[in-house]
Amino acid sequence: MNNLQYSTGERNRFFYGKLMTPRDFEDEQTYFNDKRRLGNRMLHGTGVAAGLGVLLVDNQTFSLEAGMALDYQGREIVVPDPCVKRISTIRGFDTIRDSGDVYLGIAYREEPCESTFSVAGSAEGNGIRQEFNRMREGYELFLTTREPNRALLGVDSVLYDLCRLYDQDGIRITLQIPRYVNTDDVFPVRVLFEKREVSAPVRFSFRLESDLFQGPKGEKYVQVEYVETEVTTQKELSLDYSMRCGRVRDDYTEIRVPIDSFALYFGSNQAEGLTQPLRKSVEVTARPLREVVLEAYYTRHFDEFLTAREDQAIYLAKFHVVATQNTFLIEKVVRNPFHQYLANPQMLELLQHLDRERQVVQSLPIVPETRREENDRQPDAVRRTAGGVATVMLGMSPKVGRSYFSHEFIHGLGAGELCVNVAVENTENNGSNETLIFGDGVFTAEEFSLAAPACSVGAMVNVKKGTLQLGLKLLEKTGQQSIRLRWWAWRPQEETVEKEELTDGVTVLITPNTANVEPLQQIRFTALVEGSATQEVFWSVVEKNGGSIDRNGLYTAPPTEGVYEIQAQSAKYGNIRASAYVVVSKQ
């Protein structure tokens, strides 16, 4: 039953008086097994259907959850019960030679069981009368240090090509380039960066060039740049870049990475460059990509689906192991590293339902602000008051006459002028606060038996960024190491805040328009282009070292504290943009 060849289509024909031999019964099982497995492979695909999660128990042991998968021959792999395994007991452990990545795979396995006595003797004529009464279907776990060819593990290769740009010295840079591109359209090119056992910070840059493609804003090429700010020895990440295809006829072109454009640095040391340029052909077509991809898939030869290749296996996890004197320890585990999941019809229907809901929302008419009733404007009305508490650190030895300041933070009222009032909280030793002190040093701690020292307080408002910073000048000695300042902010009654009207009635709105995050923390921004059917925007960070933001609005804060500006520019109207501000500070 481990035969990878499928049935020729012959099955048993039964008739009265037919002499049955083991061959007839085996052919009966083989026929139906092969038919079922062929249907599994062609109609359902390959991957994990449920469960089979891998969790670390300790640095040498992992647990495998119960579950089911279909392999590349359509065979069902079932793990009926969860189990705990030591990595040293798995087949392939002896092939590990050094620290690095090790892949945990699962394979179909069957073996005879239930020993019995054969009254007719052995079919081989060796005189042994012992036989097995059953075949037990099961599974086998294995380890391999060889990374599989990702193009063979799924159907992504119908739409994308994975092109290796650089692979040495522990650094691997791969480009995911589409095979097909629509005319007059924007498409993504993904840069996959992998770092293995490299302690130095890495930075690299290169250009994406093409005869028919341009940058999203009409540039002659797309400049790819990456600087590692959070330095680790192991890292995997993807960088998305956009290219635009103009209004051209159906044609073939290529995306190139010139040799002289590539630069890679380990710290301050420059690595060797490319030995040859990267060139990848891309088909430009006016046909819908869905139609082109389906045609490319269904014109593949039948043998491509049936022929099993060495790399085609179900990989449940990727372990990063560290070599010690006597063994290897698991430092990190990544579940299902190649996303080999098998979605059932119910899950596909749910995903299609989400797509339909998104399309419905995008097709809803945009109601102009001037046509809303007054009551309808209340949920979107700009807040007119805000308040809170900020802590000002004085240090171990605060000095009289010295000024101390809080972190710059977002007050929540948006950009514009504000009125601000600040008071000192009189916090007693038991933590209670029953007194707020206003004014500049009128109420002294000694005269009024206050815990808080006399201070002169102030506030600084950034009307462009919508941020606030509080400060105080110490007017008498104190043993406190911090002082809490209570603040209130409000807009002048005569001021009205309206949405900025931009060219042709188009306005870009960013949500949220202000945010507080910690260094290296991520937050997602969304943009709405009012007055335009095209909702695509280009994201950017104004400050050079202000972090990064991908094409989907996912912002990654830099390691340095500060206030940074995020911009969203309409893809259709290049002069239409909006800004949001992020305060990066340690909480």
Side-chain angles (χ1 to χ4, degrees):
M1 294 300 173
N2 282 317
N3 186 3
L4 302 183
Q5 300 297 321
Y6 291 98
S7 172
T8 59
E10 293 183 1
R11 67 178 187 272
N12 268 318
R13 178 181 178 274
F14 299 100
F15 57 89
Y16 186 76
K18 178 176 180 177
L19 178 62
M20 303 290 288
T21 65
R23 169 179 173 268
D24 297 295
F25 292 103
E26 290 175 355
D27 286 349
E28 185 77 3
Q29 289 190 358
T30 300
Y31 176 83
F32 286 106
N33 277 339
D34 286 352
K35 285 292 184 181
R36 186 186 72 255
R37 291 166 180 172
L38 179 61
N40 286 342
R41 179 69 182 91
M42 302 305 299
L43 300 179
H44 301 302
T46 303
V48 176
L52 300 184
V54 176
L55 303 172
L56 279 185
V57 177
D58 56 41
N59 56 16
Q60 291 184 318
T61 311
F62 65 90
S63 68
L64 175 64
E65 298 175 350
M68 173 192 171
L70 294 180
D71 70 5
Y72 286 85
Q73 287 77 51
R75 298 173 297 190
E76 303 91 347
I77 303 176
V78 178
V79 178
D81 301 300
C83 57
V84 177
K85 301 283 186 179
R86 289 185 67 86
I87 188 175
S88 59
T89 63
I90 307 301
R91 177 171 66 88
F93 176 78
D94 55 349
T95 64
I96 305 175
R97 295 288 181 263
D98 203 350
S99 299
D101 290 334
V102 179
Y103 299 92
L104 173 69
I106 188 170
Y108 174 85
R109 180 183 179 184
E110 60 182 30
E111 57 185 358
C113 63
E114 193 178 306
S115 176
T116 187
F117 181 78
S118 173
V119 297
S122 173
E124 285 77 16
N126 53 14
I128 301 177
R129 293 178 175 269
Q130 184 179 6
E131 288 288 355
F132 293 94
N133 199 38
R134 292 286 187 271
M135 292 293 293
R136 179 185 293 119
E137 295 184 339
Y139 65 93
E140 180 183 25
L141 299 175
F142 65 91
L143 296 172
T144 178
T145 57
R146 176 182 176 183
E147 182 180 1
N149 185 351
R150 304 189 185 198
L152 300 178
L153 299 182
V155 296
D156 291 351
S157 59
V158 178
L159 183 58
Y160 299 105
D161 277 316
L162 291 176
C163 307
R164 191 64 48 80
L165 180 64
Y166 187 91
D167 189 6
Q168 56 184 345
D169 301 325
I171 298 298
R172 177 181 296 170
I173 302 174
T174 307
L175 302 186
Q176 180 179 283
I177 300 176
R179 290 175 178 265
Y180 312 97
V181 170
N182 274 147
T183 60
D184 194 23
D185 195 14
V186 177
F187 62 93
V189 175
R190 177 165 293 177
V191 180
L192 306 175
F193 170 66
E194 300 173 69
K195 181 181 181 183
R196 298 287 180 271
E197 303 297 338
V198 178
S199 58
V202 174
R203 57 188 174 98
F204 63 83
S205 62
F206 56 87
R207 295 196 307 268
L208 297 174
E209 298 181 353
S210 177
D211 296 332
L212 298 182
F213 305 147
Q214 299 176 331
K217 300 180 182 179
E219 306 93 327
K220 293 183 178 180
Y221 56 85
V222 172
Q223 182 68 29
V224 175
E225 292 184 348
Y226 171 73
V227 178
E228 186 179 18
T229 55
E230 183 182 0
V231 181
T232 59
T233 58
Q234 306 288 324
K235 181 167 293 185
E236 290 186 12
L237 56 86
S238 62
L239 310 171
D240 290 332
Y241 292 86
S242 297
M243 300 190 76
R244 178 182 294 277
C245 179
R247 295 184 178 180
V248 298
R249 295 183 178 180
D250 291 5
D251 199 354
Y252 285 88
T253 186
E254 64 180 13
I255 292 178
R256 304 181 298 271
V257 177
I259 294 179
D260 59 358
S261 73
F262 182 85
L264 173 66
Y265 292 86
F266 297 91
S268 59
N269 300 320
Q270 185 171 4
E272 294 183 6
L274 302 180
T275 57
Q276 58 184 4
L278 184 145
R279 299 176 180 269
K280 190 60 190 175
S281 177
V282 180
E283 180 180 348
V284 179
T285 177
R287 298 167 57 195
L289 288 185
R290 183 184 183 91
E291 177 183 321
V292 175
V293 171
L294 288 176
E295 180 181 298
Y297 177 82
Y298 287 112
T299 53
R300 297 169 69 183
H301 197 280
F302 189 45
D303 287 346
E304 293 186 42
F305 297 99
L306 299 185
T307 304
R309 295 175 173 85
E310 183 179 358
D311 286 344
Q312 287 183 323
I314 305 298
Y315 297 94
L316 302 180
K318 179 174 69 173
F319 297 133
H320 181 72
V321 299
V322 178
T324 62
Q325 292 182 350
N326 300 320
T327 186
F328 293 90
L329 305 179
I330 304 174
E331 184 180 61
K332 181 182 178 182
V333 59
V334 178
R335 296 178 56 172
N336 206 326
F338 305 111
H339 306 287
Q340 294 172 283
Y341 293 108
L342 186 62
N344 57 41
Q346 290 179 321
M347 179 58 67
L348 292 176
E349 175 61 29
L350 176 60
L351 297 177
Q352 292 173 359
H353 176 70
L354 291 176
D355 291 338
R356 288 194 296 267
E357 281 191 339
R358 185 179 296 111
Q359 293 174 0
V360 170
V361 171
Q362 293 177 350
S363 64
L364 292 176
I366 300 175
V367 181
E369 184 73 16
T370 56
R371 295 181 58 185
R372 297 185 183 179
E373 298 295 334
E374 185 64 24
N375 291 337
D376 295 335
R377 298 168 65 95
Q378 292 303 317
D380 296 331
V382 178
R383 292 178 56 193
R384 303 195 63 83
T385 61
V389 177
T391 301
V392 177
M393 304 304 299
L394 304 180
M396 297 296 295
S397 302
K399 298 180 179 180
V400 176
R402 183 175 177 179
S403 297
Y404 299 88
F405 305 96
S406 71
H407 289 293
E408 185 177 11
F409 58 91
I410 297 172
H411 50 66
L413 298 180
E417 297 181 356
L418 296 177
C419 297
V420 181
N421 204 349
V422 184
V424 177
E425 284 192 355
N426 183 53
T427 304
E428 302 294 344
N429 293 332
N430 59 5
S432 63
N433 173 37
E434 299 179 352
T435 309
L436 295 175
I437 307 172
F438 294 85
D440 293 337
V442 177
F443 301 92
T444 62
E446 181 179 357
E447 185 176 358
F448 292 90
S449 301
L450 300 174
C455 300
S456 176
V457 295
M460 182 172 64
V461 178
N462 189 315
V463 297
K464 180 181 178 182
K465 295 182 177 181
T467 59
L468 179 65
Q469 187 173 19
L470 306 182
L472 62 87
K473 177 179 286 188
L474 201 59
L475 301 181
E476 63 178 343
K477 292 183 178 181
T478 180
Q480 296 188 10
Q481 298 180 8
S482 64
I483 294 179
R484 288 165 55 91
L485 300 181
R486 181 76 62 86
W487 61 272
W488 298 264
W490 66 95
R491 293 194 179 279
Q493 191 66 28
E494 65 276 8
E495 180 184 352
T496 58
V497 180
E498 299 179 354
K499 297 178 182 177
E500 184 180 1
E501 297 296 329
L502 299 174
T503 307
D504 297 330
V506 180
T507 307
V508 178
L509 301 177
I510 301 178
T511 304
N513 63 348
T514 55
N516 283 286
V517 297
E518 295 185 359
L520 302 178
Q521 185 180 348
Q522 292 184 325
I523 184 173
R524 186 174 298 279
F525 290 89
T526 59
L528 173 65
V529 185
E530 288 193 344
S532 173
T534 303
Q535 293 296 309
E536 183 181 6
V537 297
F538 301 127
W539 294 96
S540 62
V541 182
V542 175
E543 290 78 9
K544 182 177 180 180
N545 298 319
S548 62
I549 187 167
D550 65 15
R551 64 189 183 92
N552 296 318
L554 182 61
Y555 172 75
T556 303
T560 306
E561 295 182 327
V563 180
Y564 303 103
E565 182 179 357
I566 307 298
Q567 282 193 353
Q569 178 185 12
S570 170
K572 186 175 182 180
Y573 304 95
N575 62 328
I576 307 300
R577 59 173 56 89
S579 295
Y581 296 91
V582 181
V583 175
V584 179
S585 63
K586 296 180 180 179
Q587 302 298 324

